[in-house]
Amino acid sequence: MSGRRHLYLTGATALVLALTGGLTAPATAQAAAAQAAVAQAAVAQAAVADPARATLGAGDGWGSAGTGTSGGAAAVASRVFTVTTWEEFRAALAAPGTEPRIVKVKGTLNATAAGCSAFEAPGYDFPRYLADYDPAVWGHDTVVSGPQEELRAASVQAQGRAIKAYIPANTTVVGIGRNAGIVGGSVQIQGVDNVVIRNLTVESPLDCFPQWDPTDGATGAWNSEYDSMVVYGSTHVWIDHNTFTDGAHPDSSLPRYYGEVYQQHDGELDVVRGADLVTASWNVFADHDKTLMIGNSDSAGATDRGRLRVTLHHNLFRNVIERAPRVRFGQVDAYNNHFVVPATGYAYSLGIGQESQLVAEKNAFTVPAGVHVGTILKKWKDAPVTTVGNLVNGRPVDLLAVHNAEFPGEVLRDGAGWTPTLRARVDNPRAVPGLVGHRAGAGGLR
């Protein structure tokens, strides 16, 4: 057969043949080495076409600094898992070893399919809880305590054990196709390095057992647990082409007790407790209240100072009330994002907090009539901020100047004190609404 081997070939191997002209037996050792090099390059090219094998490009935000972020791109076949249930997902993540792994999510994984009753501690009774802690009985001066509060807390712990999924180091989690996602789960990237999360629709988990705090504000408030995704003390993380949403349970659908919304949502994405070198790109954050927090405490300087370096680019923040993001301590680069501000309930987009150094450049804001442009920025603590080249409804606006004019009692300082250099692609802000609207979010990767 003229020295050729006839094989059945698929995928990357077929590409090798296409690029090398077949597996002709080499005449010399030098030719063999050359052919092997071409084959290796071809396999690498094929891997790049697979979203599960993608790595964060050089210079693409803080996540690309140092060793960069590759997740599980180099995983061998035995370390590639395809999962269709929440239980399979957690089992794939728990497989021992720190070698690269890829977890492919097919369809929607439901972490709370059994319902809230599956987590209830024996003896917990919500009507009894409401009766015991009714402000007319309990008042507003002290936090709740007693048997029903203890049982509620035990129920919270049971739900947390069931719905949290911990992502190991050197891991890529990727949704397959247009309809991959997670409902009711909380993705935890905690104390690890080198993680990639792509192409998932993540519906905010519902806290089955919110806590009533009568001392929260003038009238008290319900407070909940469980963020959709948390980056906690981890480094080199790339969060790309995901959609974060409240899905079937928007805040408008939640009941009221004691005259207050029974709040069952927490954040969509938190980057906290010494986390560092994170790039969040081409995501959609939609229809949520407390959306994205970078740094969760003014007193966390020991872990957060000099860290919390995060890049946010080409993300869509659509109808979110606040925290897009709220920043403490970190050097945060937010550019080429599109903020579609809701007509009602809006608080702010960019929160300037303790020792933050936010650069907000070449973003596009779509602001409805009746919403003051000065509210785009919110001063929580005295910290410098850079706002350059941003558009509001298609027109250039100096966000800092407008804020300071509208809120003379909350003047912000100009100049974050650093200049971002890790930007692989910067678009004209006029093009951002179209680009982000068309390309951001889950479902666009094949």
Side-chain angles (χ1 to χ4, degrees):
M1 294 186 181
S2 302
R4 292 181 180 269
R5 300 175 184 175
H6 289 263
L7 305 173
Y8 292 98
L9 303 168
T10 59
T13 310
L15 180 58
V16 171
L17 279 182
L19 295 182
T20 62
L23 294 174
T24 305
T28 67
Q30 184 177 11
Q35 188 180 81
V38 172
Q40 185 177 10
V43 171
Q45 182 177 337
V48 169
D50 179 358
R53 301 282 181 178
T55 63
L56 181 61
D60 193 350
W62 278 117
S64 67
T67 57
T69 305
S70 59
V76 299
S78 63
R79 301 279 291 177
V80 178
F81 307 87
T82 299
V83 301
T84 59
T85 68
W86 183 249
E87 292 73 22
E88 290 176 352
F89 181 58
R90 296 217 299 177
L93 297 174
T98 59
E99 300 84 5
R101 86 183 67 199
I102 293 171
V103 181
K104 297 182 177 183
V105 174
K106 188 175 181 180
T108 300
L109 314 182
N110 191 342
T112 54
C116 290
S117 60
F119 313 124
E120 286 184 0
Y124 175 72
D125 182 86
F126 185 57
R128 180 74 261 165
Y129 188 96
L130 289 177
D132 286 353
Y133 305 119
D134 188 324
V137 175
W138 187 268
H140 286 281
D141 297 329
T142 58
V143 298
V144 297
S145 61
Q148 282 300 313
E149 170 56 20
E150 293 171 2
L151 291 170
R152 184 206 65 82
S155 303
V156 168
Q157 292 178 358
Q159 183 177 358
R161 288 191 295 268
I163 73 168
K164 291 182 179 180
Y166 293 87
I167 312 299
N170 307 316
T171 294
T172 291
V173 177
V174 61
I176 304 302
R178 291 185 173 275
N179 301 307
I182 294 172
V183 171
S186 180
V187 177
Q188 303 281 317
I189 307 168
Q190 189 171 134
V192 297
D193 180 70
N194 193 29
V195 169
V196 174
I197 310 288
R198 306 185 77 205
N199 203 44
L200 293 175
T201 295
V202 184
E203 183 175 308
S204 303
L206 281 175
D207 185 346
C208 294
F209 313 99
Q211 181 185 39
W212 172 247
D213 184 354
T215 68
D216 188 345
T219 57
W222 293 96
N223 295 311
S224 62
E225 299 282 346
Y226 316 126
D227 300 302
S228 298
M229 191 174 297
V230 182
V231 184
Y232 183 118
S234 295
T235 53
H236 294 109
V237 177
W238 182 28
I239 300 168
D240 177 68
H241 277 95
N242 302 288
T243 296
F244 296 84
T245 174
D246 286 350
H249 303 282
D251 282 356
S252 61
S253 71
L254 301 179
R256 286 178 173 266
Y257 299 105
Y258 309 148
E260 301 297 324
V261 173
Y262 189 60
Q263 183 54 261
Q264 294 182 268
H265 295 131
D266 199 357
E268 290 190 323
L269 173 63
D270 280 4
V271 182
V272 298
R273 299 297 180 184
D276 200 16
L277 305 178
V278 177
T279 294
S281 55
W282 300 99
N283 301 289
V284 172
F285 299 90
D287 307 314
H288 195 80
D289 187 353
K290 299 174 181 178
T291 305
L292 199 172
M293 184 164 62
I294 301 173
N296 65 342
S297 173
D298 288 357
S299 61
T303 58
D304 293 352
R305 193 172 286 115
R307 300 181 179 88
L308 297 180
R309 291 173 291 180
V310 180
T311 297
L312 306 171
H313 74 80
H314 294 93
N315 299 290
L316 172 60
F317 295 90
R318 185 182 66 227
N319 295 332
V320 303
I321 302 301
E322 58 184 306
R323 299 184 184 177
R326 178 178 176 178
V327 185
R328 296 177 175 93
F329 296 103
Q331 288 186 336
V332 176
D333 184 19
Y335 74 93
N336 278 176
N337 302 288
H338 186 202
F339 300 80
V340 180
V341 171
T344 59
Y346 178 62
Y348 68 92
S349 294
L350 306 175
I352 314 304
Q354 181 80 12
E355 296 182 40
S356 64
Q357 294 178 278
L358 172 67
V359 175
E361 186 173 3
K362 296 186 178 180
N363 300 289
F365 294 82
T366 299
V367 179
V371 174
H372 292 283
V373 173
T375 59
I376 288 173
L377 297 176
K378 169 66 177 177
K379 179 180 180 179
W380 292 101
K381 289 293 177 67
D382 180 44
V385 59
T386 296
T387 61
V388 178
N390 298 290
L391 302 182
V392 177
N393 297 337
R395 296 184 177 183
V397 172
D398 186 334
L399 299 179
L400 185 65
V402 172
H403 169 86
N404 287 345
E406 291 188 9
F407 299 96
E410 299 180 12
V411 171
L412 287 163
R413 290 187 286 125
D414 187 21
W418 70 289
T419 301
T421 58
L422 296 171
R423 291 179 174 179
R425 166 180 178 165
V426 181
D427 291 300
N428 187 311
R430 295 188 185 283
V432 164
L435 282 170
V436 170
H438 180 66
R439 293 183 52 192
L445 302 181
R446 296 291 188 271

PDB file of all heavy atoms in Angstrom, residues 340-359:
ATOM      1  N   VAL A 340     -27.526  48.408  30.941  1.00  0.00           N
ATOM      2  CA  VAL A 340     -28.899  48.784  30.610  1.00  0.00           C
ATOM      3  C   VAL A 340     -29.628  49.002  31.930  1.00  0.00           C
ATOM      4  O   VAL A 340     -29.978  48.048  32.640  1.00  0.00           O
ATOM      5  CB  VAL A 340     -29.596  47.713  29.764  1.00  0.00           C
ATOM      6  CG1 VAL A 340     -31.023  48.137  29.429  1.00  0.00           C
ATOM      7  CG2 VAL A 340     -28.813  47.461  28.478  1.00  0.00           C
ATOM      8  N   VAL A 341     -29.837  50.251  32.279  1.00  0.00           N
ATOM      9  CA  VAL A 341     -30.342  50.630  33.596  1.00  0.00           C
ATOM     10  C   VAL A 341     -31.862  50.452  33.642  1.00  0.00           C
ATOM     11  O   VAL A 341     -32.571  50.865  32.715  1.00  0.00           O
ATOM     12  CB  VAL A 341     -29.952  52.093  33.895  1.00  0.00           C
ATOM     13  CG1 VAL A 341     -30.631  52.598  35.159  1.00  0.00           C
ATOM     14  CG2 VAL A 341     -28.424  52.212  34.009  1.00  0.00           C
ATOM     15  N   PRO A 342     -32.390  49.838  34.707  1.00  0.00           N
ATOM     16  CA  PRO A 342     -33.844  49.672  34.805  1.00  0.00           C
ATOM     17  C   PRO A 342     -34.545  51.004  35.087  1.00  0.00           C
ATOM     18  O   PRO A 342     -33.971  51.914  35.686  1.00  0.00           O
ATOM     19  CB  PRO A 342     -34.008  48.706  35.978  1.00  0.00           C
ATOM     20  CG  PRO A 342     -32.791  48.927  36.824  1.00  0.00           C
ATOM     21  CD  PRO A 342     -31.682  49.240  35.862  1.00  0.00           C
ATOM     22  N   ALA A 343     -35.790  51.087  34.683  1.00  0.00           N
ATOM     23  CA  ALA A 343     -36.548  52.324  34.855  1.00  0.00           C
ATOM     24  C   ALA A 343     -37.018  52.523  36.287  1.00  0.00           C
ATOM     25  O   ALA A 343     -37.235  53.655  36.728  1.00  0.00           O
ATOM     26  CB  ALA A 343     -37.748  52.325  33.904  1.00  0.00           C
ATOM     27  N   THR A 344     -37.185  51.430  37.030  1.00  0.00           N
ATOM     28  CA  THR A 344     -37.648  51.537  38.412  1.00  0.00           C
ATOM     29  C   THR A 344     -36.726  50.755  39.333  1.00  0.00           C
ATOM     30  O   THR A 344     -36.158  49.729  38.954  1.00  0.00           O
ATOM     31  CB  THR A 344     -39.079  50.994  38.557  1.00  0.00           C
ATOM     32  OG1 THR A 344     -39.120  49.620  38.141  1.00  0.00           O
ATOM     33  CG2 THR A 344     -40.052  51.796  37.699  1.00  0.00           C
ATOM     34  N   GLY A 345     -36.569  51.255  40.538  1.00  0.00           N
ATOM     35  CA  GLY A 345     -35.817  50.554  41.568  1.00  0.00           C
ATOM     36  C   GLY A 345     -34.315  50.697  41.497  1.00  0.00           C
ATOM     37  O   GLY A 345     -33.603  50.171  42.364  1.00  0.00           O
ATOM     38  N   TYR A 346     -33.808  51.409  40.496  1.00  0.00           N
ATOM     39  CA  TYR A 346     -32.361  51.478  40.281  1.00  0.00           C
ATOM     40  C   TYR A 346     -31.675  52.203  41.434  1.00  0.00           C
ATOM     41  O   TYR A 346     -32.129  53.256  41.897  1.00  0.00           O
ATOM     42  CB  TYR A 346     -32.085  52.196  38.967  1.00  0.00           C
ATOM     43  CG  TYR A 346     -30.627  52.400  38.622  1.00  0.00           C
ATOM     44  CD1 TYR A 346     -29.780  51.322  38.429  1.00  0.00           C
ATOM     45  CD2 TYR A 346     -30.110  53.688  38.467  1.00  0.00           C
ATOM     46  CE1 TYR A 346     -28.452  51.510  38.086  1.00  0.00           C
ATOM     47  CE2 TYR A 346     -28.783  53.883  38.114  1.00  0.00           C
ATOM     48  CZ  TYR A 346     -27.952  52.795  37.932  1.00  0.00           C
ATOM     49  OH  TYR A 346     -26.639  52.980  37.592  1.00  0.00           O
ATOM     50  N   ALA A 347     -30.553  51.645  41.910  1.00  0.00           N
ATOM     51  CA  ALA A 347     -29.768  52.282  42.965  1.00  0.00           C
ATOM     52  C   ALA A 347     -28.486  52.893  42.403  1.00  0.00           C
ATOM     53  O   ALA A 347     -28.242  54.099  42.551  1.00  0.00           O
ATOM     54  CB  ALA A 347     -29.441  51.267  44.059  1.00  0.00           C
ATOM     55  N   TYR A 348     -27.633  52.080  41.776  1.00  0.00           N
ATOM     56  CA  TYR A 348     -26.387  52.548  41.169  1.00  0.00           C
ATOM     57  C   TYR A 348     -25.783  51.407  40.374  1.00  0.00           C
ATOM     58  O   TYR A 348     -26.227  50.264  40.463  1.00  0.00           O
ATOM     59  CB  TYR A 348     -25.400  53.037  42.239  1.00  0.00           C
ATOM     60  CG  TYR A 348     -24.868  51.933  43.132  1.00  0.00           C
ATOM     61  CD1 TYR A 348     -23.686  51.260  42.807  1.00  0.00           C
ATOM     62  CD2 TYR A 348     -25.546  51.537  44.282  1.00  0.00           C
ATOM     63  CE1 TYR A 348     -23.207  50.228  43.605  1.00  0.00           C
ATOM     64  CE2 TYR A 348     -25.072  50.515  45.088  1.00  0.00           C
ATOM     65  CZ  TYR A 348     -23.899  49.857  44.738  1.00  0.00           C
ATOM     66  OH  TYR A 348     -23.420  48.840  45.518  1.00  0.00           O
ATOM     67  N   SER A 349     -24.739  51.697  39.622  1.00  0.00           N
ATOM     68  CA  SER A 349     -23.995  50.653  38.915  1.00  0.00           C
ATOM     69  C   SER A 349     -22.630  50.429  39.545  1.00  0.00           C
ATOM     70  O   SER A 349     -22.293  49.316  39.940  1.00  0.00           O
ATOM     71  CB  SER A 349     -23.834  51.002  37.430  1.00  0.00           C
ATOM     72  OG  SER A 349     -25.081  51.005  36.769  1.00  0.00           O
ATOM     73  N   LEU A 350     -21.827  51.468  39.632  1.00  0.00           N
ATOM     74  CA  LEU A 350     -20.427  51.339  40.057  1.00  0.00           C
ATOM     75  C   LEU A 350     -20.268  51.866  41.476  1.00  0.00           C
ATOM     76  O   LEU A 350     -20.382  53.076  41.732  1.00  0.00           O
ATOM     77  CB  LEU A 350     -19.520  52.113  39.088  1.00  0.00           C
ATOM     78  CG  LEU A 350     -19.674  51.750  37.606  1.00  0.00           C
ATOM     79  CD1 LEU A 350     -18.820  52.667  36.738  1.00  0.00           C
ATOM     80  CD2 LEU A 350     -19.300  50.287  37.367  1.00  0.00           C
ATOM     81  N   GLY A 351     -19.988  50.951  42.411  1.00  0.00           N
ATOM     82  CA  GLY A 351     -19.859  51.315  43.812  1.00  0.00           C
ATOM     83  C   GLY A 351     -18.407  51.492  44.209  1.00  0.00           C
ATOM     84  O   GLY A 351     -17.591  50.582  44.049  1.00  0.00           O
ATOM     85  N   ILE A 352     -18.076  52.653  44.745  1.00  0.00           N
ATOM     86  CA  ILE A 352     -16.708  52.994  45.120  1.00  0.00           C
ATOM     87  C   ILE A 352     -16.569  52.791  46.622  1.00  0.00           C
ATOM     88  O   ILE A 352     -17.122  53.553  47.424  1.00  0.00           O
ATOM     89  CB  ILE A 352     -16.382  54.459  44.746  1.00  0.00           C
ATOM     90  CG1 ILE A 352     -16.860  54.778  43.316  1.00  0.00           C
ATOM     91  CG2 ILE A 352     -14.902  54.732  44.935  1.00  0.00           C
ATOM     92  CD1 ILE A 352     -16.307  53.856  42.252  1.00  0.00           C
ATOM     93  N   GLY A 353     -15.820  51.748  47.008  1.00  0.00           N
ATOM     94  CA  GLY A 353     -15.730  51.387  48.416  1.00  0.00           C
ATOM     95  C   GLY A 353     -14.329  51.482  48.970  1.00  0.00           C
ATOM     96  O   GLY A 353     -13.413  52.033  48.350  1.00  0.00           O
ATOM     97  N   GLN A 354     -14.136  50.911  50.119  1.00  0.00           N
ATOM     98  CA  GLN A 354     -12.906  50.998  50.905  1.00  0.00           C
ATOM     99  C   GLN A 354     -11.658  50.712  50.078  1.00  0.00           C
ATOM    100  O   GLN A 354     -11.472  49.612  49.556  1.00  0.00           O
ATOM    101  CB  GLN A 354     -12.988  49.989  52.069  1.00  0.00           C
ATOM    102  CG  GLN A 354     -11.803  49.975  52.996  1.00  0.00           C
ATOM    103  CD  GLN A 354     -11.847  51.090  54.015  1.00  0.00           C
ATOM    104  OE1 GLN A 354     -12.870  51.743  54.172  1.00  0.00           O
ATOM    105  NE2 GLN A 354     -10.757  51.319  54.707  1.00  0.00           N
ATOM    106  N   GLU A 355     -10.795  51.712  49.938  1.00  0.00           N
ATOM    107  CA  GLU A 355      -9.489  51.592  49.275  1.00  0.00           C
ATOM    108  C   GLU A 355      -9.590  51.027  47.855  1.00  0.00           C
ATOM    109  O   GLU A 355      -8.640  50.416  47.349  1.00  0.00           O
ATOM    110  CB  GLU A 355      -8.529  50.728  50.107  1.00  0.00           C
ATOM    111  CG  GLU A 355      -8.191  51.323  51.456  1.00  0.00           C
ATOM    112  CD  GLU A 355      -7.201  50.487  52.243  1.00  0.00           C
ATOM    113  OE1 GLU A 355      -6.234  49.952  51.630  1.00  0.00           O
ATOM    114  OE2 GLU A 355      -7.392  50.347  53.468  1.00  0.00           O
ATOM    115  N   SER A 356     -10.725  51.209  47.215  1.00  0.00           N
ATOM    116  CA  SER A 356     -10.879  50.693  45.852  1.00  0.00           C
ATOM    117  C   SER A 356     -10.128  51.567  44.850  1.00  0.00           C
ATOM    118  O   SER A 356      -9.897  52.751  45.086  1.00  0.00           O
ATOM    119  CB  SER A 356     -12.358  50.626  45.474  1.00  0.00           C
ATOM    120  OG  SER A 356     -12.928  51.925  45.443  1.00  0.00           O
ATOM    121  N   GLN A 357      -9.762  50.950  43.727  1.00  0.00           N
ATOM    122  CA  GLN A 357      -9.087  51.642  42.633  1.00  0.00           C
ATOM    123  C   GLN A 357      -9.732  51.193  41.320  1.00  0.00           C
ATOM    124  O   GLN A 357      -9.168  50.407  40.574  1.00  0.00           O
ATOM    125  CB  GLN A 357      -7.591  51.340  42.626  1.00  0.00           C
ATOM    126  CG  GLN A 357      -6.835  51.887  43.831  1.00  0.00           C
ATOM    127  CD  GLN A 357      -5.361  51.505  43.783  1.00  0.00           C
ATOM    128  OE1 GLN A 357      -4.996  50.391  44.171  1.00  0.00           O
ATOM    129  NE2 GLN A 357      -4.531  52.400  43.300  1.00  0.00           N
ATOM    130  N   LEU A 358     -10.908  51.722  41.072  1.00  0.00           N
ATOM    131  CA  LEU A 358     -11.695  51.318  39.905  1.00  0.00           C
ATOM    132  C   LEU A 358     -11.385  52.208  38.710  1.00  0.00           C
ATOM    133  O   LEU A 358     -11.397  53.432  38.812  1.00  0.00           O
ATOM    134  CB  LEU A 358     -13.186  51.398  40.234  1.00  0.00           C
ATOM    135  CG  LEU A 358     -14.157  51.192  39.063  1.00  0.00           C
ATOM    136  CD1 LEU A 358     -14.071  49.760  38.543  1.00  0.00           C
ATOM    137  CD2 LEU A 358     -15.579  51.536  39.482  1.00  0.00           C
ATOM    138  N   VAL A 359     -11.118  51.560  37.575  1.00  0.00           N
ATOM    139  CA  VAL A 359     -11.011  52.253  36.293  1.00  0.00           C
ATOM    140  C   VAL A 359     -12.211  51.825  35.456  1.00  0.00           C
ATOM    141  O   VAL A 359     -12.369  50.639  35.149  1.00  0.00           O
ATOM    142  CB  VAL A 359      -9.700  51.912  35.559  1.00  0.00           C
ATOM    143  CG1 VAL A 359      -9.690  52.555  34.167  1.00  0.00           C
ATOM    144  CG2 VAL A 359      -8.506  52.393  36.371  1.00  0.00           C
TER     145      VAL A 359
END
